[in-house]
Amino acid sequence: MRSEFDFIQNLKNKYGLSKVGDDCAVLSKDDQTDMVVTADMLVEDIDFRLDWTTPELIGSKALSVSLSDIAAMGANPVFAMISLGVPESCWKTQFVDKFYDGWFTVARHYDVELIGGDLSRTPDKIVIDSTVIGHIAKGKAILRSGAKPGDSIYVTGELGGASAGLMLLESGFRYGKSNQRKKQLISRQLRPTPQVVTGKQLSALGLATAMIDLSDGVSSDLLHICKMSSVGARIYFENIPVNSNLAEFSLNAEQQAGLALSGGEDFELLFTADEKKISQANFQGVTRIGEITASLGIIEVVHHNGVSSLTPKGFRHF
Amino acid sequence: MRSEFDFIQNLKNKYGLSKVGDDCAVLSKDDQTDMVVTADMLVEDIDFRLDWTTPELIGSKALSVSLSDIAAMGANPVFAMISLGVPESCWKTQFVDKFYDGWFTVARHYDVELIGGDLSRTPDKIVIDSTVIGHIAKGKAILRSGAKPGDSIYVTGELGGASAGLMLLESGFRYGKSNQRKKQLISRQLRPTPQVVTGKQLSALGLATAMIDLSDGVSSDLLHICKMSSVGARIYFENIPVNSNLAEFSLNAEQQAGLALSGGEDFELLFTADEKKISQANFQGVTRIGEITASLGIIEVVHHNGVSSLTPKGFRHF
């Protein structure tokens, strides 16, 4: 079966869509400013389950995943729209009110204004489409296409937590009845933190040559950068910053790093940059996990016992 | 049960949403230009049925309904995003390809560029969220709030056709096996034409004081203008331009005009204007159906046998 990535690539080629293919489309606003815009669809029982989370957390995550795309451009989020479809049974409950409560909690934190959207009925499942518009200084948006051989590869924060949280939920664990480590992992899955501040710092300082947010997993998302930049990458497996709560599981270090490499929804940033510049700027909170190579589309993973090539195992809808 | 209109009004009040409440939000682009933006969600078995239409027509309608919102501001559509969620069974067919074929047929006609969106999996129903961005000269967007007592009320085209087409589909008629009149009515439902050119003319000539697109029906949409403008309206029942194909049905003139007044999805424009200016401009293709009054929120309907007040009967999700 064709993947959604192949489908979108074909669509780009067929219709000549030059603005499609990054975390956000970049449009010219005025002489000083560019506008970036992104849309994300979240569907009940595909992207969230009502018995795993709360209406407030669904609302907050709906905005956060789009803010993460804005962050991946280095932009400042400004406006948002939310389209929400719910079945009539859900409309009669407090779901929609609580959803917006959660949504506005995040919106206020990032000073994002709701400017529109839609409210619709669905036959039986909840559907959300989240749109966010951001602003960034002219020409400063960080694309996926700017990585060059020799650039170092960095990630923010720790990886694998959201994926482990999903595993816990799938295994029947729930936030309320879990220990502290499990709570933190489940929270990584249900309440992601978009790296808006770090994204803006990286663009303001001109440090990142390419950037993407980690929604599908390092293995999948790094491949997007490699394809768009016509480069390859080498990852040092031992350098991957593994979420410390993964110690909760009976996994060896290799298994933990594997989860961190393939697990999606951490919503951290992955970016490429000149190592010297990052060092000179004393940029905090990021980990160097590898470097960009000239081996087009090939991602090598260096383990303590050798080198293997990486097969993307991140999240795919199709 | 609370209506979606009440819910949105409460949300506006609770969170101070000044940009919500028109067909599009208006944002400042640069010194010369404003940007307008709209989002519309379409859901299988609520807004369309697969056995009534084709994938191409679903794609074309998804864009057209948003273009109609852009038209209602008097703006020029420029960019669009489409978020599409389909079940896996649908992904394996040609549905998505044909959907985009239909979408791009309309996009090319109006010179709209696809800049992003999302492609997602759903459990069983198709869901679409359509976003369109338009441009308009600074301060020239036509809002719902500008109607003044004494303004005349106009509509473009003929009304009631889309609603009659829906009735035909619900009664088991299908496009392919229908006579010419029925085909035209079904086509009004499945292939609406956004009034982009007329909308742009009205803003360019500065003729309309308030405008809305007829998505829910005259009775419902005119009430939005009255509420936002703090005015009332008087409609002349006999003046309503009824779709000539309604003669297909065994309805008297009153019943036909009733359908034209309450039926949704005609995607014509309803606007208010100074009658002299419309006349002086020799503006074609519009019909004067009434006038704005000072009776806040009250819509009177003048029949040949008297006056009644109008109860909105347009489409509502909740």
Side-chain angles (χ1 to χ4, degrees), chain A residues 2 7 14-15 19 25 29 35 39-41 44 46 83 91 96-97 101 104 108 113 115 118 120-121 129 317-318, chain B residues 2 7 14-15 19 25 29 35 40-41 46 83 91 96-97 101 104 108 113 115 117-118 120-121 123 129 317-318:
Chain A
R2 61 185 172 177
F7 179 83
K14 182 173 178 183
Y15 295 107
K19 293 189 174 63
K29 183 182 181 292
M35 200 180 93
D40 296 277
M41 184 171 269
E44 182 184 347
I46 303 290
S83 290
W91 178 255
V96 182
D97 307 79
D101 284 345
F104 275 102
R108 278 201 206 94
E113 181 180 356
I115 59 165
D118 202 357
S120 186
R121 188 158 55 90
D129 198 55
H317 278 108
F318 300 108
Chain B
R2 61 184 174 178
F7 179 84
K14 183 172 178 185
Y15 295 106
K19 294 190 173 63
K29 183 181 180 295
M35 200 179 93
D40 295 278
M41 183 171 270
I46 303 291
S83 290
W91 178 255
V96 182
D97 306 78
D101 284 346
F104 275 102
R108 278 201 207 95
E113 180 181 357
I115 60 166
D118 202 357
S120 187
R121 189 158 56 90
D129 198 55
H317 277 109
F318 300 108

Short mmCIF file of all heavy atoms in Angstrom, two decimals, chain A residues 2 7 14-15 19 25 29 35 39-41 44 46 83 91 96-97 101 104 108 113 115 118 120-121 129 317-318, chain B residues 2 7 14-15 19 25 29 35 40-41 46 83 91 96-97 101 104 108 113 115 117-118 120-121 123 129 317-318:
data_model
loop_
_atom_site.label_atom_id
_atom_site.label_comp_id
_atom_site.label_asym_id
_atom_site.label_seq_id
_atom_site.Cartn_x
_atom_site.Cartn_y
_atom_site.Cartn_z
N ARG A 2 0.56 2.21 -0.83
CA ARG A 2 1.34 3.46 -0.87
C ARG A 2 1.26 4.16 0.49
O ARG A 2 0.23 4.12 1.16
CB ARG A 2 0.83 4.37 -1.98
CG ARG A 2 -0.63 4.78 -1.78
CD ARG A 2 -1.15 5.59 -2.95
NE ARG A 2 -2.60 5.79 -2.78
CZ ARG A 2 -3.34 6.50 -3.61
NH1 ARG A 2 -2.78 7.08 -4.66
NH2 ARG A 2 -4.64 6.63 -3.40
N PHE A 7 2.19 9.61 -1.40
CA PHE A 7 1.03 10.25 -2.01
C PHE A 7 1.23 11.77 -2.10
O PHE A 7 0.99 12.39 -3.14
CB PHE A 7 -0.25 9.94 -1.23
CG PHE A 7 -1.45 10.59 -1.82
CD1 PHE A 7 -2.13 10.00 -2.87
CD2 PHE A 7 -1.90 11.82 -1.35
CE1 PHE A 7 -3.22 10.60 -3.45
CE2 PHE A 7 -3.00 12.44 -1.92
CZ PHE A 7 -3.66 11.82 -2.97
N LYS A 14 2.68 16.36 -9.31
CA LYS A 14 1.60 16.45 -10.29
C LYS A 14 1.08 17.88 -10.44
O LYS A 14 0.78 18.33 -11.54
CB LYS A 14 0.46 15.52 -9.87
CG LYS A 14 -0.72 15.46 -10.84
CD LYS A 14 -1.73 14.39 -10.41
CE LYS A 14 -2.93 14.37 -11.35
NZ LYS A 14 -3.93 13.37 -10.90
N TYR A 15 0.96 18.57 -9.30
CA TYR A 15 0.34 19.89 -9.33
C TYR A 15 1.33 21.04 -9.10
O TYR A 15 0.92 22.18 -8.98
CB TYR A 15 -0.81 19.97 -8.31
CG TYR A 15 -1.96 19.05 -8.64
CD1 TYR A 15 -2.18 17.88 -7.90
CD2 TYR A 15 -2.83 19.32 -9.70
CE1 TYR A 15 -3.24 17.03 -8.21
CE2 TYR A 15 -3.87 18.48 -10.02
CZ TYR A 15 -4.08 17.33 -9.28
OH TYR A 15 -5.11 16.49 -9.59
N LYS A 19 4.91 25.11 -2.12
CA LYS A 19 4.84 25.50 -0.71
C LYS A 19 4.50 24.33 0.20
O LYS A 19 4.41 24.49 1.42
CB LYS A 19 3.82 26.63 -0.52
CG LYS A 19 4.25 27.94 -1.18
CD LYS A 19 3.33 29.08 -0.79
CE LYS A 19 3.84 30.40 -1.34
NZ LYS A 19 3.87 30.45 -2.82
N ALA A 25 3.70 25.97 5.65
CA ALA A 25 3.91 26.74 4.42
C ALA A 25 4.40 28.14 4.81
O ALA A 25 3.99 28.67 5.84
CB ALA A 25 2.61 26.85 3.64
N LYS A 29 4.27 38.06 4.23
CA LYS A 29 3.28 38.94 4.87
C LYS A 29 3.51 40.38 4.42
O LYS A 29 2.68 40.97 3.76
CB LYS A 29 3.34 38.81 6.39
CG LYS A 29 2.29 39.65 7.11
CD LYS A 29 2.42 39.53 8.63
CE LYS A 29 1.33 40.35 9.33
NZ LYS A 29 1.47 41.79 9.18
N MET A 35 4.83 34.87 6.98
CA MET A 35 3.77 34.19 7.71
C MET A 35 3.95 32.70 7.49
O MET A 35 4.27 32.28 6.38
CB MET A 35 2.44 34.66 7.12
CG MET A 35 1.25 34.47 7.98
SD MET A 35 -0.22 35.08 7.12
CE MET A 35 -0.76 33.57 6.35
N ALA A 39 -1.71 22.95 9.32
CA ALA A 39 -2.98 22.32 9.69
C ALA A 39 -2.73 20.87 10.12
O ALA A 39 -1.93 20.17 9.51
CB ALA A 39 -3.95 22.34 8.51
N ASP A 40 -3.40 20.45 11.17
CA ASP A 40 -3.27 19.08 11.68
C ASP A 40 -4.64 18.52 12.02
O ASP A 40 -5.41 19.15 12.74
CB ASP A 40 -2.43 19.06 12.96
CG ASP A 40 -1.01 19.50 12.72
OD1 ASP A 40 -0.21 18.65 12.30
OD2 ASP A 40 -0.70 20.69 12.94
N MET A 41 -4.90 17.32 11.55
CA MET A 41 -6.17 16.66 11.85
C MET A 41 -5.96 15.60 12.93
O MET A 41 -5.01 14.81 12.87
CB MET A 41 -6.72 16.02 10.57
CG MET A 41 -8.08 15.38 10.76
SD MET A 41 -8.82 14.85 9.17
CE MET A 41 -9.75 16.33 8.71
N GLU A 44 -10.64 10.77 16.67
CA GLU A 44 -10.90 9.85 17.80
C GLU A 44 -10.61 8.40 17.39
O GLU A 44 -10.95 7.98 16.29
CB GLU A 44 -12.37 9.99 18.24
CG GLU A 44 -12.73 9.12 19.43
CD GLU A 44 -14.21 9.20 19.78
OE1 GLU A 44 -14.92 10.09 19.28
OE2 GLU A 44 -14.67 8.33 20.55
N ILE A 46 -8.00 7.12 16.52
CA ILE A 46 -6.77 7.03 15.72
C ILE A 46 -5.69 7.80 16.46
O ILE A 46 -4.62 7.27 16.75
CB ILE A 46 -6.97 7.64 14.30
CG1 ILE A 46 -8.12 6.94 13.56
CG2 ILE A 46 -5.66 7.58 13.52
CD1 ILE A 46 -7.86 5.51 13.14
N SER A 83 -11.44 23.57 13.94
CA SER A 83 -12.67 22.95 13.44
C SER A 83 -12.90 21.69 14.26
O SER A 83 -12.00 20.86 14.40
CB SER A 83 -12.55 22.60 11.95
OG SER A 83 -12.54 23.78 11.18
N TRP A 91 -22.20 16.30 22.01
CA TRP A 91 -22.63 17.71 22.07
C TRP A 91 -23.47 17.96 23.33
O TRP A 91 -23.42 19.04 23.92
CB TRP A 91 -23.43 18.05 20.82
CG TRP A 91 -23.97 19.46 20.79
CD1 TRP A 91 -25.26 19.85 20.99
CD2 TRP A 91 -23.23 20.66 20.55
NE1 TRP A 91 -25.36 21.20 20.90
CE2 TRP A 91 -24.14 21.73 20.63
CE3 TRP A 91 -21.88 20.92 20.28
CZ2 TRP A 91 -23.74 23.06 20.45
CZ3 TRP A 91 -21.49 22.24 20.10
CH2 TRP A 91 -22.40 23.29 20.19
N VAL A 96 -17.46 19.66 24.77
CA VAL A 96 -17.00 20.78 23.93
C VAL A 96 -16.51 21.95 24.79
O VAL A 96 -15.48 22.56 24.49
CB VAL A 96 -18.10 21.21 22.94
CG1 VAL A 96 -17.61 22.34 22.04
CG2 VAL A 96 -18.53 20.03 22.07
N ASP A 97 -17.23 22.23 25.88
CA ASP A 97 -16.79 23.30 26.79
C ASP A 97 -15.41 22.99 27.37
O ASP A 97 -14.53 23.85 27.41
CB ASP A 97 -17.79 23.46 27.94
CG ASP A 97 -19.21 23.65 27.44
OD1 ASP A 97 -19.84 22.65 27.07
OD2 ASP A 97 -19.65 24.81 27.40
N ASP A 101 -11.78 24.79 27.06
CA ASP A 101 -11.02 25.18 28.25
C ASP A 101 -9.56 24.76 28.12
O ASP A 101 -8.64 25.55 28.38
CB ASP A 101 -11.62 24.53 29.51
CG ASP A 101 -12.91 25.21 29.96
OD1 ASP A 101 -13.20 26.32 29.48
OD2 ASP A 101 -13.63 24.62 30.79
N PHE A 104 -7.80 26.76 25.29
CA PHE A 104 -7.46 28.15 25.66
C PHE A 104 -6.37 28.23 26.72
O PHE A 104 -5.66 29.23 26.80
CB PHE A 104 -8.72 28.90 26.11
CG PHE A 104 -9.49 29.49 24.97
CD1 PHE A 104 -10.65 28.88 24.50
CD2 PHE A 104 -9.05 30.64 24.33
CE1 PHE A 104 -11.36 29.40 23.44
CE2 PHE A 104 -9.76 31.18 23.26
CZ PHE A 104 -10.92 30.55 22.81
N ARG A 108 -3.54 30.77 25.75
CA ARG A 108 -3.15 31.91 26.59
C ARG A 108 -1.66 31.88 26.89
O ARG A 108 -0.99 32.91 26.87
CB ARG A 108 -3.92 31.86 27.92
CG ARG A 108 -5.32 32.43 27.83
CD ARG A 108 -5.81 32.84 29.22
NE ARG A 108 -7.25 32.78 29.26
CZ ARG A 108 -7.94 31.74 29.68
NH1 ARG A 108 -7.32 30.65 30.11
NH2 ARG A 108 -9.25 31.77 29.67
N GLU A 113 -4.33 33.86 19.44
CA GLU A 113 -5.73 34.31 19.38
C GLU A 113 -6.56 33.40 18.47
O GLU A 113 -6.18 33.14 17.33
CB GLU A 113 -5.77 35.75 18.85
CG GLU A 113 -7.20 36.30 18.77
CD GLU A 113 -7.27 37.73 18.24
OE1 GLU A 113 -6.20 38.34 18.01
OE2 GLU A 113 -8.39 38.22 18.07
N ILE A 115 -9.28 32.84 15.91
CA ILE A 115 -9.90 33.76 14.94
C ILE A 115 -10.99 33.09 14.13
O ILE A 115 -11.65 33.73 13.32
CB ILE A 115 -8.85 34.36 13.97
CG1 ILE A 115 -8.13 33.23 13.20
CG2 ILE A 115 -7.85 35.24 14.72
CD1 ILE A 115 -7.36 33.73 11.99
N ASP A 118 -14.72 25.91 12.70
CA ASP A 118 -16.04 25.39 12.38
C ASP A 118 -16.47 24.47 13.51
O ASP A 118 -15.64 23.98 14.27
CB ASP A 118 -15.98 24.63 11.04
CG ASP A 118 -17.34 24.51 10.37
OD1 ASP A 118 -18.34 24.97 10.96
OD2 ASP A 118 -17.40 23.96 9.26
N SER A 120 -19.14 21.25 13.86
CA SER A 120 -19.93 20.40 12.98
C SER A 120 -20.40 19.16 13.71
O SER A 120 -19.90 18.82 14.79
CB SER A 120 -19.05 20.01 11.78
OG SER A 120 -19.80 19.30 10.83
N ARG A 121 -21.35 18.47 13.13
CA ARG A 121 -21.82 17.21 13.68
C ARG A 121 -21.17 16.07 12.91
O ARG A 121 -20.94 16.17 11.72
CB ARG A 121 -23.36 17.14 13.57
CG ARG A 121 -23.99 15.98 14.28
CD ARG A 121 -25.47 16.27 14.57
NE ARG A 121 -26.22 16.61 13.37
CZ ARG A 121 -26.84 15.71 12.60
NH1 ARG A 121 -26.83 14.44 12.91
NH2 ARG A 121 -27.51 16.11 11.53
N ASP A 129 -9.70 19.58 13.48
CA ASP A 129 -8.66 20.09 12.59
C ASP A 129 -8.16 21.41 13.16
O ASP A 129 -8.95 22.33 13.42
CB ASP A 129 -9.15 20.27 11.15
CG ASP A 129 -7.99 20.38 10.17
OD1 ASP A 129 -7.14 19.47 10.15
OD2 ASP A 129 -7.92 21.38 9.43
N HIS A 317 0.13 6.87 8.96
CA HIS A 317 -1.30 6.56 8.91
C HIS A 317 -1.58 5.43 7.93
O HIS A 317 -2.44 4.59 8.15
CB HIS A 317 -2.11 7.79 8.48
CG HIS A 317 -2.39 8.72 9.62
ND1 HIS A 317 -1.76 9.93 9.74
CD2 HIS A 317 -3.19 8.59 10.69
CE1 HIS A 317 -2.20 10.52 10.84
NE2 HIS A 317 -3.06 9.73 11.43
N PHE A 318 -0.84 5.44 6.80
CA PHE A 318 -1.06 4.42 5.76
C PHE A 318 0.29 3.86 5.32
O PHE A 318 1.28 4.56 5.32
CB PHE A 318 -1.77 5.04 4.55
CG PHE A 318 -3.11 5.61 4.88
CD1 PHE A 318 -3.29 6.98 4.90
CD2 PHE A 318 -4.20 4.79 5.21
CE1 PHE A 318 -4.53 7.52 5.19
CE2 PHE A 318 -5.43 5.33 5.51
CZ PHE A 318 -5.60 6.70 5.51
N ARG B 2 -28.82 23.45 23.25
CA ARG B 2 -28.24 24.71 22.76
C ARG B 2 -27.83 24.55 21.29
O ARG B 2 -27.41 23.48 20.86
CB ARG B 2 -27.02 25.07 23.61
CG ARG B 2 -25.93 24.01 23.55
CD ARG B 2 -24.77 24.36 24.47
NE ARG B 2 -23.82 23.23 24.50
CZ ARG B 2 -22.70 23.23 25.17
NH1 ARG B 2 -22.36 24.27 25.90
NH2 ARG B 2 -21.90 22.19 25.16
N PHE B 7 -23.60 28.55 21.19
CA PHE B 7 -22.33 28.12 21.75
C PHE B 7 -21.19 29.05 21.33
O PHE B 7 -20.37 29.48 22.14
CB PHE B 7 -22.02 26.68 21.33
CG PHE B 7 -20.71 26.19 21.88
CD1 PHE B 7 -20.63 25.66 23.16
CD2 PHE B 7 -19.55 26.28 21.12
CE1 PHE B 7 -19.42 25.24 23.68
CE2 PHE B 7 -18.34 25.86 21.64
CZ PHE B 7 -18.27 25.33 22.92
N LYS B 14 -16.99 34.74 26.36
CA LYS B 14 -16.15 34.22 27.44
C LYS B 14 -14.67 34.53 27.21
O LYS B 14 -13.95 34.86 28.14
CB LYS B 14 -16.34 32.70 27.53
CG LYS B 14 -15.57 32.02 28.65
CD LYS B 14 -15.98 30.55 28.77
CE LYS B 14 -15.17 29.84 29.85
NZ LYS B 14 -15.48 28.39 29.90
N TYR B 15 -14.23 34.41 25.95
CA TYR B 15 -12.81 34.55 25.66
C TYR B 15 -12.48 35.85 24.91
O TYR B 15 -11.34 36.05 24.50
CB TYR B 15 -12.30 33.34 24.87
CG TYR B 15 -12.37 32.05 25.67
CD1 TYR B 15 -13.32 31.08 25.40
CD2 TYR B 15 -11.45 31.80 26.70
CE1 TYR B 15 -13.38 29.90 26.13
CE2 TYR B 15 -11.50 30.63 27.44
CZ TYR B 15 -12.47 29.68 27.15
OH TYR B 15 -12.52 28.51 27.88
N LYS B 19 -12.34 38.55 16.50
CA LYS B 19 -12.23 38.23 15.07
C LYS B 19 -13.16 37.11 14.64
O LYS B 19 -13.21 36.74 13.47
CB LYS B 19 -10.78 37.89 14.71
CG LYS B 19 -9.82 39.07 14.85
CD LYS B 19 -8.47 38.77 14.28
CE LYS B 19 -7.58 40.01 14.28
NZ LYS B 19 -7.30 40.51 15.63
N ALA B 25 -12.31 35.51 9.19
CA ALA B 25 -11.59 36.44 10.06
C ALA B 25 -10.80 37.39 9.17
O ALA B 25 -10.30 36.99 8.11
CB ALA B 25 -10.65 35.68 10.97
N LYS B 29 -2.52 42.30 6.62
CA LYS B 29 -1.37 41.71 5.93
C LYS B 29 -0.24 42.74 5.85
O LYS B 29 0.82 42.56 6.42
CB LYS B 29 -1.77 41.23 4.52
CG LYS B 29 -0.63 40.55 3.78
CD LYS B 29 -1.05 40.11 2.38
CE LYS B 29 0.09 39.42 1.64
NZ LYS B 29 1.22 40.28 1.32
N MET B 35 -5.90 40.33 4.97
CA MET B 35 -6.00 38.92 4.67
C MET B 35 -7.28 38.41 5.32
O MET B 35 -7.60 38.80 6.43
CB MET B 35 -4.79 38.25 5.31
CG MET B 35 -4.43 36.91 4.76
SD MET B 35 -2.97 36.29 5.62
CE MET B 35 -3.77 35.37 6.92
N ASP B 40 -13.85 25.30 6.99
CA ASP B 40 -15.12 24.58 6.92
C ASP B 40 -14.89 23.08 7.01
O ASP B 40 -14.08 22.53 6.28
CB ASP B 40 -15.82 24.86 5.58
CG ASP B 40 -16.23 26.30 5.44
OD1 ASP B 40 -17.28 26.66 5.96
OD2 ASP B 40 -15.46 27.07 4.82
N MET B 41 -15.64 22.44 7.89
CA MET B 41 -15.53 20.99 8.03
C MET B 41 -16.71 20.32 7.32
O MET B 41 -17.86 20.73 7.46
CB MET B 41 -15.52 20.63 9.51
CG MET B 41 -15.34 19.15 9.78
SD MET B 41 -15.09 18.78 11.55
CE MET B 41 -13.30 18.91 11.68
N ILE B 46 -23.11 13.40 6.97
CA ILE B 46 -23.72 14.61 7.54
C ILE B 46 -23.82 15.64 6.41
O ILE B 46 -24.89 16.16 6.12
CB ILE B 46 -22.87 15.19 8.70
CG1 ILE B 46 -22.68 14.15 9.81
CG2 ILE B 46 -23.50 16.48 9.23
CD1 ILE B 46 -23.92 13.79 10.60
N SER B 83 -7.35 19.38 4.82
CA SER B 83 -7.09 18.24 5.69
C SER B 83 -8.13 17.19 5.36
O SER B 83 -9.33 17.48 5.34
CB SER B 83 -7.18 18.64 7.17
OG SER B 83 -6.09 19.46 7.52
N TRP B 91 -8.73 4.53 1.43
CA TRP B 91 -7.37 4.84 0.98
C TRP B 91 -6.91 3.89 -0.12
O TRP B 91 -6.17 4.28 -1.02
CB TRP B 91 -6.41 4.75 2.19
CG TRP B 91 -4.97 5.00 1.87
CD1 TRP B 91 -3.97 4.08 1.78
CD2 TRP B 91 -4.36 6.27 1.59
NE1 TRP B 91 -2.78 4.69 1.46
CE2 TRP B 91 -2.99 6.03 1.34
CE3 TRP B 91 -4.85 7.57 1.52
CZ2 TRP B 91 -2.10 7.06 1.04
CZ3 TRP B 91 -3.96 8.60 1.21
CH2 TRP B 91 -2.61 8.33 0.98
N VAL B 96 -9.08 9.17 -3.03
CA VAL B 96 -8.28 10.34 -2.68
C VAL B 96 -7.74 11.04 -3.94
O VAL B 96 -7.76 12.27 -4.03
CB VAL B 96 -7.15 9.97 -1.70
CG1 VAL B 96 -6.34 11.20 -1.30
CG2 VAL B 96 -7.73 9.32 -0.44
N ASP B 97 -7.31 10.25 -4.92
CA ASP B 97 -6.83 10.84 -6.18
C ASP B 97 -7.95 11.63 -6.86
O ASP B 97 -7.73 12.75 -7.34
CB ASP B 97 -6.35 9.73 -7.12
CG ASP B 97 -5.32 8.83 -6.47
OD1 ASP B 97 -5.73 7.95 -5.67
OD2 ASP B 97 -4.12 9.03 -6.73
N ASP B 101 -8.43 15.56 -7.77
CA ASP B 101 -8.73 16.00 -9.14
C ASP B 101 -9.86 17.03 -9.13
O ASP B 101 -9.77 18.08 -9.77
CB ASP B 101 -9.15 14.79 -10.00
CG ASP B 101 -7.97 13.93 -10.41
OD1 ASP B 101 -6.82 14.38 -10.26
OD2 ASP B 101 -8.20 12.80 -10.86
N PHE B 104 -8.73 20.32 -7.43
CA PHE B 104 -7.84 21.16 -8.25
C PHE B 104 -8.56 21.76 -9.46
O PHE B 104 -8.15 22.79 -9.96
CB PHE B 104 -6.61 20.36 -8.70
CG PHE B 104 -5.51 20.37 -7.68
CD1 PHE B 104 -5.30 19.28 -6.85
CD2 PHE B 104 -4.69 21.48 -7.54
CE1 PHE B 104 -4.29 19.30 -5.89
CE2 PHE B 104 -3.68 21.51 -6.59
CZ PHE B 104 -3.48 20.41 -5.76
N ARG B 108 -7.88 25.61 -9.83
CA ARG B 108 -7.31 26.21 -11.04
C ARG B 108 -8.21 27.32 -11.57
O ARG B 108 -7.73 28.36 -11.99
CB ARG B 108 -7.15 25.14 -12.13
CG ARG B 108 -5.90 24.32 -11.98
CD ARG B 108 -5.54 23.66 -13.33
NE ARG B 108 -4.79 22.45 -13.10
CZ ARG B 108 -5.33 21.24 -13.04
NH1 ARG B 108 -6.63 21.07 -13.21
NH2 ARG B 108 -4.58 20.19 -12.83
N GLU B 113 -3.84 28.44 -4.77
CA GLU B 113 -2.69 27.54 -4.62
C GLU B 113 -2.80 26.72 -3.35
O GLU B 113 -3.03 27.25 -2.27
CB GLU B 113 -1.39 28.38 -4.58
CG GLU B 113 -0.15 27.51 -4.42
CD GLU B 113 1.15 28.31 -4.36
OE1 GLU B 113 1.10 29.56 -4.51
OE2 GLU B 113 2.20 27.69 -4.14
N ILE B 115 -1.32 25.04 -0.32
CA ILE B 115 -0.07 25.28 0.41
C ILE B 115 0.13 24.32 1.58
O ILE B 115 1.17 24.34 2.23
CB ILE B 115 0.01 26.73 0.95
CG1 ILE B 115 -1.17 27.01 1.91
CG2 ILE B 115 0.05 27.73 -0.20
CD1 ILE B 115 -0.98 28.27 2.73
N GLY B 117 -1.89 21.25 4.54
CA GLY B 117 -3.03 20.47 5.02
C GLY B 117 -2.55 19.24 5.76
O GLY B 117 -1.43 19.21 6.26
N ASP B 118 -3.40 18.24 5.80
CA ASP B 118 -3.04 17.01 6.51
C ASP B 118 -3.75 15.86 5.82
O ASP B 118 -4.76 16.06 5.12
CB ASP B 118 -3.46 17.12 7.98
CG ASP B 118 -2.69 16.17 8.88
OD1 ASP B 118 -1.87 15.38 8.37
OD2 ASP B 118 -2.90 16.21 10.10
N SER B 120 -4.98 12.01 6.95
CA SER B 120 -5.08 11.23 8.18
C SER B 120 -5.96 10.01 7.96
O SER B 120 -6.70 9.92 6.98
CB SER B 120 -5.66 12.13 9.27
OG SER B 120 -5.64 11.49 10.52
N ARG B 121 -5.88 9.08 8.88
CA ARG B 121 -6.74 7.91 8.84
C ARG B 121 -7.90 8.13 9.80
O ARG B 121 -7.74 8.76 10.85
CB ARG B 121 -5.93 6.67 9.24
CG ARG B 121 -6.66 5.34 9.03
CD ARG B 121 -5.65 4.19 8.93
NE ARG B 121 -4.77 4.13 10.08
CZ ARG B 121 -5.03 3.43 11.20
NH1 ARG B 121 -6.14 2.75 11.32
NH2 ARG B 121 -4.16 3.41 12.20
N PRO B 123 -11.55 6.06 11.59
CA PRO B 123 -12.05 4.69 11.81
C PRO B 123 -12.99 4.23 10.70
O PRO B 123 -12.90 3.10 10.23
CB PRO B 123 -12.80 4.80 13.15
CG PRO B 123 -12.24 6.01 13.81
CD PRO B 123 -11.90 6.95 12.70
N ASP B 129 -11.48 19.01 6.20
CA ASP B 129 -11.49 20.39 6.68
C ASP B 129 -10.78 21.26 5.65
O ASP B 129 -9.65 20.98 5.25
CB ASP B 129 -10.81 20.52 8.05
CG ASP B 129 -11.20 21.82 8.74
OD1 ASP B 129 -12.40 22.07 8.90
OD2 ASP B 129 -10.30 22.60 9.11
N HIS B 317 -26.49 22.30 12.71
CA HIS B 317 -25.94 21.00 13.11
C HIS B 317 -26.54 20.54 14.44
O HIS B 317 -26.78 19.37 14.65
CB HIS B 317 -24.42 21.08 13.25
CG HIS B 317 -23.70 20.93 11.96
ND1 HIS B 317 -23.05 21.96 11.34
CD2 HIS B 317 -23.56 19.86 11.14
CE1 HIS B 317 -22.52 21.53 10.22
NE2 HIS B 317 -22.80 20.27 10.07
N PHE B 318 -26.73 21.51 15.36
CA PHE B 318 -27.25 21.16 16.68
C PHE B 318 -28.38 22.13 17.05
O PHE B 318 -28.36 23.26 16.64
CB PHE B 318 -26.15 21.25 17.75
CG PHE B 318 -25.01 20.32 17.48
CD1 PHE B 318 -23.79 20.83 17.07
CD2 PHE B 318 -25.15 18.95 17.64
CE1 PHE B 318 -22.72 19.98 16.82
CE2 PHE B 318 -24.09 18.10 17.39
CZ PHE B 318 -22.88 18.62 16.98
#
